[in-house]
């Protein structure tokens, strides 16, 4: 294996094949039809050179990052991989590493080294302090250290994993989280609701549901489709989430409070075991300030059974997942979702209220019905492995909520900054809890 001759980070030429939201630096290209527009956009930046195609980027760069959709990785690497500069280092930025590594193994020359990465946050989140997974798949220590230095200006927290560990942990921390929020958006659209305009969807926990749902749908569909469809562990978890939601909803319809309470509390005991003496990640009053609607007085708020939260804890319990084990690779959205879930389950009054509401109050029945349909729909879409169906489903909901995205992004960014600061003060930021 020939190592790159470049040792100094400042001398290394970095190439980007596929210019999405995650980065635009040095030698770069996208699809040919974007060449002229990108040349104009970056024409005044002396350290960025736009090339017509990936062949020219591959032959001239010391570290090449494939930043393309996971579903297209094999096709793109097959086309440009053989042109890779002798002794260069190649990596990818996808959220699912199994197809990425198979593409590299199949199409890259044997004299090329492989160091992949994955920034565990979206393009609108400050990378400082966020987890950055680094995967030394086929590389010398010298080359791995060079990549580490090249990425150091991000000021992220490096996490060293194998590709298999990465895929398992990202499934555990992201797959079901995404499924829950995608299902919320589908349900609200099906009911023709903008939830922030309805009093029962305003307040702390509801703010997280609405803001994170809007944040996910304001992004590109393939950001979530690749992880869901190409990661086998993610498929299993999304299917279990749909099953958990369905079974809990049936217990609500039957009025079977005894079994509903037994199952929910048993799941909570399993997932949050050992957290009794720990301070909670989040509390409802911290989240009250981040609303897209008007907050009613506490006594005027409508009680919610929080089926989406009950379902996610039941899902984790059924699969034996302890989410706190993976805080080292947690995304900001996962920490938000875990925080509000923990708050519900570790606040006895709220959990009892949710269980009582699930049986005795039908205010949310139509919403819960559509949510259950949506969870099952997303599960089927992922199970069938259809990227086109995933895209159609995603973009139809996206179009419905699009007019509100600018305000939701502003509020969501402020919420995430506050939450990250809050969790860091409690010493539960990434890197403090060791995973695999």
């Amino acid at each position: 294996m020939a190592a790159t001759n470049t040792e100094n980070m400042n001398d290394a030429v970095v190439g980007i094949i596929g210019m999405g939201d995650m980065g635009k630096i040095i030698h770069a290209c996208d699809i040919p039809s974007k060449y002229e527009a990108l040349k104009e956009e970056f024409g005044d930046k002396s350290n960025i050179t736009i090339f017509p195609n990936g062949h020219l980027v591959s032959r001239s760069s010391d570290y090449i990052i494939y930043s393309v959709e996971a579903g297209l990785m094999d096709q793109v690497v097959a086309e440009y991989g053989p042109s890779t500069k002798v002794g260069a280092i190649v990596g990818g930025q996808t959220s699912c590493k199994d197809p990425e590594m198979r593409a590299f193994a199949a199409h890259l020359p044997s004299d090329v080294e492989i160091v992949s990465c994955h920034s565990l946050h979206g393009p609108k989140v400050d990378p400082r302090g966020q987890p950055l997974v680094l995967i030394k798949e086929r590389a010398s220590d010298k080359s791995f250290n060079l990549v580490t230095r090249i990425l150091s200006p991000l000021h992220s927290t490096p996490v060293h994993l194998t590709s298999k560990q990465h895929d398992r942990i990202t499934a555990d921390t992201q797959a079901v989280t995404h499924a829950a929020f995608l299902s919320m958006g589908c349900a609200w659209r099906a009911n023709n609701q903008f939830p922030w305009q309805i009093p029962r969807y305003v307040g702390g926990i509801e703010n997280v549901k609405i803001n994170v749902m809007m944040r996910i749908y304001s992004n590109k569909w393939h950001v979530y489709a690749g992880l869901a469809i190409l990661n086998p562990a993610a498929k299993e978890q999304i299917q279990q989430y749909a099953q958990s939601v369905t079974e809990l909803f049936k217990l609500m319809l039957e009025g079977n409070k005894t079994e509903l309470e037994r199952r929910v509390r048993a799941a909570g005991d399993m997932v949050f075991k050992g957290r009794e003496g720990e301070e909670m990640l989040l509390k409802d009053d911290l989240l009250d300030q981040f609303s897209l609607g008007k907050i009613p007085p506490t006594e005027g708020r409508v009680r919610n059974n929080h089926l989406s939260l009950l379902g996610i804890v039941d899902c984790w319990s059924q699969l034996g997942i302890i989410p706190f084990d993976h805080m080292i690779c947690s995304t900001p959205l996962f920490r938000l979702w875990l925080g509000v879930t923990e708050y519900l389950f570790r606040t006895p009054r709220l959990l009892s209220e949710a269980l009582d509401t699930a049986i005795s109050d039908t205010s949310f029945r139509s919403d819960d019905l559509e949510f259950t349909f949506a969870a099952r729909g997303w599960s089927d879409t992922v199970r069938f492995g259809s990227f086109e169906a995933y895209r159609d489903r995603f973009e139809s909901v996206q179009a419905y909520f699009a007019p509100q995205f600018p305000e939701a992004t502003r509020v969501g960014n402020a919420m995430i900054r506050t939450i990250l600061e809050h969790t860091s003060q409690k010493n539960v930021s990434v890197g403090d809890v060791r995973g695999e």
Side-chain angles (χ1 to χ4, degrees):
M1 183 188 303
T4 179
N5 293 324
T6 302
E7 296 186 21
N8 190 331
M9 174 182 82
N10 296 323
D11 296 331
V13 176
V14 179
I16 301 287
I17 295 178
M19 297 182 69
D21 291 328
M22 296 305 296
K24 302 175 179 178
I25 54 175
I26 317 304
H27 286 190
C29 72
D30 207 305
I31 58 177
S33 62
K34 295 183 179 181
Y35 174 57
E36 294 298 334
L38 289 172
K39 276 183 63 180
E40 182 177 350
E41 180 180 353
F42 295 99
D44 61 345
K45 299 198 169 42
S46 60
N47 65 326
I48 298 178
T49 304
I50 303 298
F51 287 93
N53 58 59
H55 293 295
L56 298 176
V57 172
S58 294
R59 65 182 287 189
S60 63
S61 304
D62 300 301
Y63 179 43
I64 300 110
I65 302 173
Y66 283 81
S67 185
V68 300
E69 299 172 25
L72 298 177
M73 180 61 75
D74 186 76
Q75 174 186 336
V76 176
V77 177
E79 182 171 359
Y80 300 128
S83 299
T84 305
K85 178 180 177 181
V86 173
I89 311 165
V90 173
Q93 246 286 56
T94 65
S95 59
C96 186
K97 294 304 180 187
D98 178 66
E100 181 180 298
M101 294 305 170
R102 283 191 279 109
F104 289 159
H107 306 302
L108 291 179
S110 59
D111 57 19
V112 170
E113 300 187 81
I114 302 171
V115 179
S116 253
C117 62
H118 182 200
S119 296
L120 292 175
H121 58 85
K124 299 167 188 173
V125 174
D126 187 339
R128 289 175 293 185
Q130 299 303 320
L132 171 64
V133 174
L134 297 172
I135 299 172
K136 182 182 176 184
E137 184 75 6
R138 188 177 81 193
S140 64
D141 289 342
K142 174 182 172 183
S143 294
F144 184 73
N145 291 336
L146 174 62
V147 171
T148 301
R149 293 197 301 275
I150 289 172
L151 298 176
S152 63
L154 296 173
H155 300 291
S156 297
T157 301
V159 181
H160 299 169
L161 298 174
T162 67
S163 57
K164 289 184 178 180
Q165 287 173 329
H166 168 275
D167 283 358
R168 181 73 222 188
I169 292 174
T170 52
D172 287 355
T173 57
Q174 296 185 47
V176 179
T177 305
H178 296 162
F181 291 112
L182 291 171
S183 299
M184 289 178 205
C186 276
W188 285 323
R189 176 183 178 272
N191 280 333
N192 196 27
Q193 295 172 334
F194 293 109
W196 55 88
Q197 297 176 350
I198 304 171
R200 68 176 182 240
Y201 282 117
V202 180
I205 293 177
E206 309 303 338
N207 288 347
V208 172
K209 293 179 183 177
I210 294 170
N211 280 304
V212 177
M213 180 279 294
M214 294 287 283
R215 193 175 190 86
I216 285 177
Y217 275 108
S218 69
N219 287 325
K220 296 176 180 177
W221 66 275
H222 64 77
V223 172
Y224 309 102
L227 168 64
I229 293 174
L230 298 176
N231 189 325
K235 283 187 176 183
E236 176 192 11
Q237 292 177 27
I238 292 168
Q239 182 176 354
Q240 178 58 55
Y241 182 65
Q243 184 175 335
S244 290
V245 168
T246 300
E247 292 174 358
L248 293 177
F249 184 56
K250 287 180 178 179
L251 291 174
M252 295 178 187
L253 292 177
E254 294 168 3
N256 191 343
K257 184 178 180 182
T258 300
E259 177 56 20
L260 177 66
E261 186 159 358
R262 183 206 64 77
R263 180 164 174 168
V264 167
R265 291 191 184 280
D269 289 344
M270 183 269 180
V271 171
F272 299 106
K273 183 179 180 181
R275 294 283 299 172
E276 296 84 358
E278 301 286 336
E279 188 176 359
M280 287 187 281
L281 298 181
L282 301 174
K283 291 188 178 179
D284 203 42
D285 55 357
L286 177 70
L287 304 170
D288 273 346
Q289 59 190 294
F290 302 109
S291 176
L292 292 177
K294 184 179 179 181
I295 301 175
T298 302
E299 63 271 17
R301 292 181 180 175
V302 178
R303 303 194 313 174
N304 192 335
N305 59 55
H306 297 299
L307 176 58
S308 59
L309 296 173
L310 302 184
I312 204 164
V313 173
D314 186 82
C315 173
W316 284 333
S317 176
Q318 297 292 331
L319 296 172
I321 295 172
I322 306 298
F324 293 94
D325 288 348
H326 298 321
M327 290 296 284
I328 193 172
C329 280
S330 62
T331 64
L333 299 190
F334 175 72
R335 272 169 273 168
L336 274 171
W337 196 226
L338 179 57
V340 296
T341 303
E342 179 191 36
Y343 175 58
L344 173 65
F345 273 77
R346 290 185 56 202
T347 306
R349 174 187 59 81
L350 284 180
L351 184 58
S352 295
E353 180 183 280
L355 292 169
D356 289 340
T357 303
I359 299 298
S360 62
D361 190 336
T362 60
S363 301
F364 283 86
R365 269 302 183 262
S366 62
D367 298 49
D368 291 338
L369 177 65
E370 291 293 353
F371 180 79
T372 303
F373 286 160
R376 293 169 68 93
W378 281 113
S379 176
D380 288 343
T381 300
V382 169
R383 180 164 56 88
F384 296 145
S386 172
F387 280 93
E388 197 57 41
Y390 194 105
R391 179 176 187 170
D392 289 345
R393 190 176 179 87
F394 186 98
E395 290 185 342
S396 66
V397 180
Q398 185 180 59
Y400 178 77
F401 288 109
Q404 194 69 25
F405 284 158
E407 176 65 9
T409 298
R410 185 190 65 78
V411 174
N413 286 346
M415 181 175 70
I416 285 178
R417 280 196 301 270
T418 299
I419 300 315
L420 294 183
E421 291 170 1
H422 191 72
T423 53
S424 294
Q425 291 168 4
K426 291 172 183 271
N427 296 316
V428 293
S429 57
V430 294
D432 294 330
V433 181
R434 296 295 183 261
E436 296 180 343

